[in-house]
Amino acid sequence: MYANLIRIDRNSTESLQTQIRRQLAIAIVNRQFPIHRPLPSIRKLSKDLEVSVTTVSLAYESLKQDGFVESRDRAGIYIREDALLSSQASENLYTSSSNSSDTDVIKMDFTSHFRGRSFNMPRVVKPSDSLVRFRFPFICGLIDPNLFPIASWRECIRDSVNVVEMRNWATDYSSIDDELLVEQLMQRVLSKRGIIAHPEEILITLGGQQALYLAVKLLLRTGETIGIEDPGYPDILNMAQMENLNVRRLPIDKGGLILSDEINQCKCLYTTPSHQFPTTVTMPVERREELLRITANNRQFIIEDDYEAEIAFDKTPPPALKSLDRSGNVIYAGSLSKSLMPGLRIGYLVADREFIREAKALRHHILRPPPVNNQRSVALFLQRGYFDRFLAKISQEYKIRCQTMHRSLEAHFPGASVLPEFGGGSIWLKLPEDIDAGKLQQKVMESSVYFETGGFTFSNPSENLNHIRLGYSVIDNALIPEGIELIAKAALGGR
């Protein structure tokens, strides 16, 4: 039982007692023993390791003196709760052996290995406990659990695991996707964006993030140039850097991506035309058509991230670029994460069938398809009309919250924010120049307020520290004015 936790080397210069003590300590700090259950008894451990009872007893006594374990009357030896040391302390335990053969070992230096190409780049990360930790969660991209039709969803989950459906789970789905889900995406999601696609032109992905990565990986080779909006989505920038691509940051205005001569220098363009990330501005149809004309003539690719397009208020957003695409140079990436549930991780790519064939092969080598049960549950949710009703419900609720937030922002920061033209789930706010959004974020967290900073979405973050994103998808409408007031007091209180 302990063969991989405690290994006795009878040829070592280190005593048996010290070997047992050291390896038990390592196992404790690495949480390899359950903290609320007793450790192996002295007699059992001595028998399993084929050492004397005295040796094990002395090892345990040493662990007690060092604060790792404690004896409980008639219950045995337990790990002390305050004995779970830091990772650095754990690392020190590994090197504490006096065995000369161990001290000569040179450990791998991963810090040096990753220097210059660290993947710990600035990215969009939301606190996992945000909905319970903060009273005023101005967080983007999440769904309010109070609005979700849980009964309908349970019905779809239940029906996805009946005897007939369970047979699908036993199938290797590496080369195919759930046919019903593909069909429902065509009929209920893509059609609303004006996109007509054949099933062989659609690929289900593990969220929109995987869709974007597959597109970047397939369209560009090392050293080629991708154009990314400025400000823009940080994770697409990170993907480009990991693939050793050249990045050209392209400016935007109130109509989204500016069609300047700079785009001619790019092999591929990444754009969020429906709800630009992070500013929420929308590209008009005329500019979309001109962008398609230019890129078709230049033989350039476009990755269209149709971010939050399905969440519309009164007006219908302009048609997707893909719906206007005649040359096939647009790779369309979508996701249900912002309109269903992020945790389901259902995204999709729409492109020429030859591109989808290659993307499907690449997906096979990375993560295979999204879980089959999730695909079928979502397919049933779409087929039975639950998704359409839910989308209408949250769109109406988001409209109310958006208006409440904009009014509150105008009261405290006149003219600093723009009401989204078509919908979405957030508002982009430019604070006074001398305010550091990062410091403000830390300050208001003490008042149970959380928002997302926006400086890192720019090519020059240090000059744009005064931008923030305020989501309204999960905060109760009644709490929005109070939350905005707390932000305003923290930001402007000293003025």
Side-chain angles (χ1 to χ4, degrees):
M1 178 178 178
Y2 311 107
N4 292 325
L5 294 180
I6 305 173
R7 300 180 64 183
I8 299 298
D9 182 359
R10 299 185 185 278
N11 296 319
S12 173
T13 58
E14 187 180 31
S15 69
L16 297 180
Q17 171 197 330
T18 303
Q19 289 184 49
I20 296 170
R21 182 264 176 213
R22 174 173 55 80
Q23 293 177 82
L24 277 172
I26 291 171
I28 289 171
V29 298
N30 284 330
R31 300 174 185 262
Q32 291 176 284
F33 290 114
I35 193 170
H36 296 301
R37 293 180 60 186
L39 291 170
S41 69
I42 293 174
R43 290 191 179 277
K44 179 170 177 52
L45 193 54
S46 66
K47 180 180 179 180
D48 290 344
L49 299 179
E50 298 182 351
V51 298
S52 70
V53 171
T54 302
T55 297
V56 176
S57 179
L58 290 172
Y60 269 143
E61 189 61 34
S62 178
L63 289 171
K64 289 179 187 177
Q65 292 176 3
D66 291 337
F68 284 94
V69 301
E70 61 184 4
S71 294
R72 299 181 185 175
D73 291 342
R74 299 182 181 181
I77 301 172
Y78 284 78
I79 298 170
R80 290 173 55 121
E81 293 191 13
D82 57 358
L84 302 178
L85 308 178
S86 66
S87 59
Q88 181 62 47
S90 175
E91 183 178 342
N92 292 339
L93 288 169
Y94 281 100
T95 59
S96 64
S97 171
S98 60
N99 190 332
S100 60
S101 63
D102 290 341
T103 56
D104 293 337
V105 173
I106 301 175
K107 294 192 67 178
M108 292 296 295
D109 182 5
F110 283 101
T111 301
S112 176
H113 178 74
F114 289 117
R115 186 172 294 123
R117 61 191 188 99
S118 173
F119 301 125
N120 191 26
M121 305 167 183
R123 57 194 189 277
V124 181
V125 178
K126 311 172 197 301
S128 59
D129 59 350
S130 56
L131 297 188
V132 295
R133 180 179 172 190
F134 301 106
R135 185 166 181 252
F136 306 96
F138 293 109
I139 298 173
C140 308
L142 301 184
I143 300 294
D144 189 342
N146 296 319
L147 300 178
F148 192 73
I150 188 65
S152 300
W153 179 246
R154 282 175 177 160
E155 172 194 313
C156 295
I157 292 178
R158 184 182 63 248
D159 291 349
S160 73
V161 295
N162 63 33
V163 175
V164 175
E165 298 294 351
M166 283 291 289
R167 294 175 183 173
N168 291 330
W169 295 30
T171 304
D172 184 356
Y173 266 62
S174 63
S175 61
I176 61 174
D177 291 314
D178 187 289
E179 293 181 358
L180 179 61
L181 177 56
V182 172
E183 176 188 282
Q184 291 303 309
L185 286 174
M186 292 166 53
Q187 295 177 2
R188 297 183 179 274
V189 179
L190 296 177
S191 62
K192 294 178 181 178
R193 304 296 299 121
I195 298 173
I196 300 174
H198 187 274
E200 292 182 10
E201 297 172 334
I202 300 172
L203 180 71
I204 307 300
T205 61
L206 201 63
Q209 201 83 344
Q210 188 190 37
L212 295 177
Y213 179 74
L214 292 174
V216 169
K217 186 78 173 176
L218 290 171
L219 295 177
L220 296 129
R221 296 187 176 95
T222 298
E224 293 183 330
T225 301
I226 182 172
I228 298 176
E229 296 163 334
D230 187 17
Y233 187 41
D235 284 350
I236 198 74
L237 177 65
N238 295 340
M239 294 176 197
Q241 291 176 341
M242 287 189 291
E243 293 300 313
N244 294 312
L245 304 177
N246 293 324
V247 175
R248 183 175 289 273
R249 300 304 297 270
L250 305 173
I252 66 168
D253 61 13
K254 293 182 179 179
L257 180 65
I258 297 174
L259 306 187
S260 66
D261 291 339
E262 289 186 87
I263 66 174
N264 298 325
Q265 310 302 316
C266 305
K267 173 71 176 293
C268 176
L269 304 175
Y270 167 83
T271 181
T272 50
S274 295
H275 287 101
Q276 200 276 333
F277 184 100
T279 66
T280 77
V281 298
T282 300
M283 184 184 294
V285 174
E286 296 76 20
R287 187 177 295 190
R288 295 177 188 231
E289 293 175 336
E290 179 64 11
L291 174 61
L292 289 171
R293 186 190 66 79
I294 293 172
T295 54
N297 290 340
N298 292 343
R299 310 303 295 166
Q300 295 167 291
F301 296 110
I302 298 175
I303 299 174
E304 178 185 13
D305 185 349
D306 209 20
Y307 179 73
E308 289 191 333
E310 69 276 19
I311 303 175
F313 298 160
D314 295 326
K315 296 190 291 183
T316 301
L321 279 173
K322 185 61 181 173
S323 71
L324 306 171
D325 175 23
R326 299 295 175 264
S327 65
N329 67 323
V330 177
I331 311 300
Y332 180 92
S335 168
L336 297 181
S337 294
K338 306 297 183 293
S339 55
L340 192 50
M341 277 290 177
L344 293 173
R345 310 309 306 150
I346 297 294
Y348 43 92
L349 279 170
V350 182
D352 181 272
R353 63 185 65 192
E354 283 301 308
F355 177 90
I356 293 299
R357 182 178 66 83
E358 291 294 326
K360 187 174 294 183
L362 179 56
R363 183 190 69 177
H364 171 91
H365 294 297
I366 301 174
L367 286 171
R368 301 290 184 98
V372 176
N373 59 323
N374 280 4
Q375 289 194 49
R376 180 46 60 106
S377 297
V378 171
L380 294 173
F381 195 77
L382 292 171
Q383 183 190 47
R384 296 172 182 181
Y386 298 145
F387 177 72
D388 289 338
R389 293 210 300 263
F390 176 56
L391 198 57
K393 180 179 180 179
I394 62 172
S395 294
Q396 188 60 33
E397 179 62 30
Y398 287 5
K399 176 184 176 182
I400 296 171
R401 295 180 186 182
C402 180
Q403 292 172 340
T404 300
M405 180 179 288
H406 191 251
R407 287 194 300 268
S408 299
L409 289 173
E410 283 296 297
H412 298 285
F413 305 98
S417 65
V418 178
L419 190 67
E421 185 177 0
F422 291 97
S426 66
I427 288 182
W428 182 245
L429 176 65
K430 183 178 181 180
L431 297 166
E433 298 289 343
D434 60 337
I435 294 179
D436 184 327
K439 294 179 179 178
L440 178 62
Q441 181 192 59
Q442 294 300 312
K443 188 174 181 179
V444 298
M445 284 174 65
E446 298 175 1
S447 301
S448 198
V449 177
Y450 188 86
F451 59 77
E452 298 177 21
T453 61
F456 71 108
T457 64
F458 289 87
S459 58
N460 192 340
S462 61
E463 294 183 3
N464 295 280
L465 297 176
N466 58 321
H467 292 78
I468 66 175
R469 294 178 71 213
L470 292 163
Y472 44 77
S473 61
V474 292
I475 184 170
D476 188 277
N477 184 63
L479 295 176
I480 290 176
E482 184 181 353
I484 296 299
E485 183 177 3
L486 287 170
I487 294 173
K489 286 182 178 178
L492 310 174
R495 299 185 176 210

